[in-house]
Amino acid sequence: MANFVSANLSHEISGSFVVFTLDAKLRFEPKEVGHRWLFQIEFREQDPMKDDILSALPKAEAFGKADAHLKRHYFIPSKEEVELSFKEEFPAHLVDTELGKEEVYANVEALPLEAPPGFVPAKTRTNITEVDV
């Protein structure tokens, strides 16, 4: 069964953009190596009432696309332990959901694709990175 060893979210401000970096380490069983997987990222901003889903697309552009807020990457693990790193760029005004700093985290999943029966997705949540935009 695939599982996350670690998943760390950090960021940097670059002009009018926030660039998030997600570093993850995953462990796979020998039978899961060599098969295609989907790495899916959902960015969220922590909120006392209900966490906000962050999207790199404006609402008007994302309208009608139910999963426009998800970032997807495909990979094939070549060994039992792999390290992955992804950079995702968001316009700063789409990250700025409230007054003060934004507490951003990501829900991440590794989902098996075209795999034999019995492969199970791995899920975790990253740390919170405070974004001051």
Side-chain angles (χ1 to χ4, degrees), residues 103-116:
E103 299 84 17
V104 179
Y105 67 92
N107 291 322
V108 293
E109 294 181 286
L111 305 160
L113 302 173
E114 306 165 3

PDB file of all heavy atoms in Angstrom, residues 103-116:
ATOM      1  N   GLU A 103      -3.335  31.343   5.793  1.00  0.00           N
ATOM      2  CA  GLU A 103      -2.786  30.084   6.295  1.00  0.00           C
ATOM      3  C   GLU A 103      -3.113  29.005   5.257  1.00  0.00           C
ATOM      4  O   GLU A 103      -4.217  28.448   5.259  1.00  0.00           O
ATOM      5  CB  GLU A 103      -3.381  29.718   7.650  1.00  0.00           C
ATOM      6  CG  GLU A 103      -3.109  30.735   8.739  1.00  0.00           C
ATOM      7  CD  GLU A 103      -4.104  31.899   8.754  1.00  0.00           C
ATOM      8  OE1 GLU A 103      -5.186  31.799   8.146  1.00  0.00           O
ATOM      9  OE2 GLU A 103      -3.766  32.931   9.353  1.00  0.00           O
ATOM     10  N   VAL A 104      -2.154  28.715   4.385  1.00  0.00           N
ATOM     11  CA  VAL A 104      -2.399  27.823   3.260  1.00  0.00           C
ATOM     12  C   VAL A 104      -1.807  26.443   3.531  1.00  0.00           C
ATOM     13  O   VAL A 104      -0.687  26.312   4.026  1.00  0.00           O
ATOM     14  CB  VAL A 104      -1.803  28.400   1.953  1.00  0.00           C
ATOM     15  CG1 VAL A 104      -2.034  27.468   0.778  1.00  0.00           C
ATOM     16  CG2 VAL A 104      -2.408  29.782   1.669  1.00  0.00           C
ATOM     17  N   TYR A 105      -2.571  25.415   3.199  1.00  0.00           N
ATOM     18  CA  TYR A 105      -2.114  24.026   3.258  1.00  0.00           C
ATOM     19  C   TYR A 105      -2.610  23.324   1.999  1.00  0.00           C
ATOM     20  O   TYR A 105      -3.340  23.904   1.194  1.00  0.00           O
ATOM     21  CB  TYR A 105      -2.611  23.323   4.531  1.00  0.00           C
ATOM     22  CG  TYR A 105      -4.106  23.116   4.591  1.00  0.00           C
ATOM     23  CD1 TYR A 105      -4.685  21.934   4.115  1.00  0.00           C
ATOM     24  CD2 TYR A 105      -4.949  24.076   5.135  1.00  0.00           C
ATOM     25  CE1 TYR A 105      -6.058  21.738   4.175  1.00  0.00           C
ATOM     26  CE2 TYR A 105      -6.310  23.895   5.194  1.00  0.00           C
ATOM     27  CZ  TYR A 105      -6.869  22.710   4.717  1.00  0.00           C
ATOM     28  OH  TYR A 105      -8.218  22.526   4.773  1.00  0.00           O
ATOM     29  N   ALA A 106      -2.194  22.091   1.818  1.00  0.00           N
ATOM     30  CA  ALA A 106      -2.646  21.321   0.659  1.00  0.00           C
ATOM     31  C   ALA A 106      -3.042  19.914   1.080  1.00  0.00           C
ATOM     32  O   ALA A 106      -2.384  19.296   1.919  1.00  0.00           O
ATOM     33  CB  ALA A 106      -1.547  21.250  -0.400  1.00  0.00           C
ATOM     34  N   ASN A 107      -4.138  19.450   0.510  1.00  0.00           N
ATOM     35  CA  ASN A 107      -4.505  18.041   0.605  1.00  0.00           C
ATOM     36  C   ASN A 107      -3.882  17.371  -0.618  1.00  0.00           C
ATOM     37  O   ASN A 107      -4.058  17.847  -1.738  1.00  0.00           O
ATOM     38  CB  ASN A 107      -6.024  17.861   0.573  1.00  0.00           C
ATOM     39  CG  ASN A 107      -6.678  18.380   1.834  1.00  0.00           C
ATOM     40  OD1 ASN A 107      -6.143  18.229   2.931  1.00  0.00           O
ATOM     41  ND2 ASN A 107      -7.830  19.004   1.695  1.00  0.00           N
ATOM     42  N   VAL A 108      -3.141  16.308  -0.391  1.00  0.00           N
ATOM     43  CA  VAL A 108      -2.468  15.632  -1.500  1.00  0.00           C
ATOM     44  C   VAL A 108      -2.843  14.162  -1.537  1.00  0.00           C
ATOM     45  O   VAL A 108      -3.096  13.538  -0.500  1.00  0.00           O
ATOM     46  CB  VAL A 108      -0.935  15.806  -1.437  1.00  0.00           C
ATOM     47  CG1 VAL A 108      -0.549  17.252  -1.681  1.00  0.00           C
ATOM     48  CG2 VAL A 108      -0.371  15.349  -0.114  1.00  0.00           C
ATOM     49  N   GLU A 109      -2.892  13.634  -2.756  1.00  0.00           N
ATOM     50  CA  GLU A 109      -3.230  12.228  -2.965  1.00  0.00           C
ATOM     51  C   GLU A 109      -2.323  11.630  -4.027  1.00  0.00           C
ATOM     52  O   GLU A 109      -1.949  12.309  -4.979  1.00  0.00           O
ATOM     53  CB  GLU A 109      -4.663  12.074  -3.469  1.00  0.00           C
ATOM     54  CG  GLU A 109      -5.739  12.475  -2.516  1.00  0.00           C
ATOM     55  CD  GLU A 109      -7.118  12.260  -3.126  1.00  0.00           C
ATOM     56  OE1 GLU A 109      -7.489  13.058  -4.013  1.00  0.00           O
ATOM     57  OE2 GLU A 109      -7.789  11.288  -2.741  1.00  0.00           O
ATOM     58  N   ALA A 110      -1.994  10.382  -3.856  1.00  0.00           N
ATOM     59  CA  ALA A 110      -1.343   9.588  -4.895  1.00  0.00           C
ATOM     60  C   ALA A 110      -2.358   8.504  -5.257  1.00  0.00           C
ATOM     61  O   ALA A 110      -2.713   7.671  -4.418  1.00  0.00           O
ATOM     62  CB  ALA A 110      -0.043   8.976  -4.398  1.00  0.00           C
ATOM     63  N   LEU A 111      -2.852   8.574  -6.490  1.00  0.00           N
ATOM     64  CA  LEU A 111      -3.914   7.671  -6.938  1.00  0.00           C
ATOM     65  C   LEU A 111      -3.380   6.725  -8.003  1.00  0.00           C
ATOM     66  O   LEU A 111      -2.782   7.163  -8.989  1.00  0.00           O
ATOM     67  CB  LEU A 111      -5.079   8.481  -7.515  1.00  0.00           C
ATOM     68  CG  LEU A 111      -5.665   9.540  -6.584  1.00  0.00           C
ATOM     69  CD1 LEU A 111      -6.436  10.575  -7.368  1.00  0.00           C
ATOM     70  CD2 LEU A 111      -6.548   8.873  -5.563  1.00  0.00           C
ATOM     71  N   PRO A 112      -3.599   5.404  -7.842  1.00  0.00           N
ATOM     72  CA  PRO A 112      -3.122   4.461  -8.848  1.00  0.00           C
ATOM     73  C   PRO A 112      -3.952   4.554 -10.127  1.00  0.00           C
ATOM     74  O   PRO A 112      -5.166   4.695 -10.082  1.00  0.00           O
ATOM     75  CB  PRO A 112      -3.297   3.099  -8.168  1.00  0.00           C
ATOM     76  CG  PRO A 112      -4.378   3.316  -7.163  1.00  0.00           C
ATOM     77  CD  PRO A 112      -4.287   4.745  -6.732  1.00  0.00           C
ATOM     78  N   LEU A 113      -3.277   4.479 -11.262  1.00  0.00           N
ATOM     79  CA  LEU A 113      -3.940   4.488 -12.563  1.00  0.00           C
ATOM     80  C   LEU A 113      -3.534   3.222 -13.315  1.00  0.00           C
ATOM     81  O   LEU A 113      -2.372   2.822 -13.269  1.00  0.00           O
ATOM     82  CB  LEU A 113      -3.524   5.711 -13.377  1.00  0.00           C
ATOM     83  CG  LEU A 113      -3.798   7.067 -12.739  1.00  0.00           C
ATOM     84  CD1 LEU A 113      -3.171   8.168 -13.587  1.00  0.00           C
ATOM     85  CD2 LEU A 113      -5.288   7.297 -12.596  1.00  0.00           C
ATOM     86  N   GLU A 114      -4.480   2.618 -14.012  1.00  0.00           N
ATOM     87  CA  GLU A 114      -4.185   1.434 -14.816  1.00  0.00           C
ATOM     88  C   GLU A 114      -3.397   0.404 -14.015  1.00  0.00           C
ATOM     89  O   GLU A 114      -2.441  -0.180 -14.505  1.00  0.00           O
ATOM     90  CB  GLU A 114      -3.403   1.837 -16.063  1.00  0.00           C
ATOM     91  CG  GLU A 114      -4.080   2.910 -16.892  1.00  0.00           C
ATOM     92  CD  GLU A 114      -3.146   3.556 -17.907  1.00  0.00           C
ATOM     93  OE1 GLU A 114      -1.977   3.149 -18.014  1.00  0.00           O
ATOM     94  OE2 GLU A 114      -3.602   4.473 -18.587  1.00  0.00           O
ATOM     95  N   ALA A 115      -3.781   0.210 -12.771  1.00  0.00           N
ATOM     96  CA  ALA A 115      -3.042  -0.693 -11.887  1.00  0.00           C
ATOM     97  C   ALA A 115      -3.856  -1.958 -11.621  1.00  0.00           C
ATOM     98  O   ALA A 115      -5.079  -1.957 -11.723  1.00  0.00           O
ATOM     99  CB  ALA A 115      -2.748   0.007 -10.569  1.00  0.00           C
ATOM    100  N   PRO A 116      -3.161  -3.022 -11.250  1.00  0.00           N
ATOM    101  CA  PRO A 116      -3.878  -4.242 -10.871  1.00  0.00           C
ATOM    102  C   PRO A 116      -4.789  -3.985  -9.665  1.00  0.00           C
ATOM    103  O   PRO A 116      -4.548  -3.062  -8.889  1.00  0.00           O
ATOM    104  CB  PRO A 116      -2.763  -5.208 -10.485  1.00  0.00           C
ATOM    105  CG  PRO A 116      -1.528  -4.660 -11.114  1.00  0.00           C
ATOM    106  CD  PRO A 116      -1.725  -3.174 -11.179  1.00  0.00           C
TER     107      PRO A 116
END
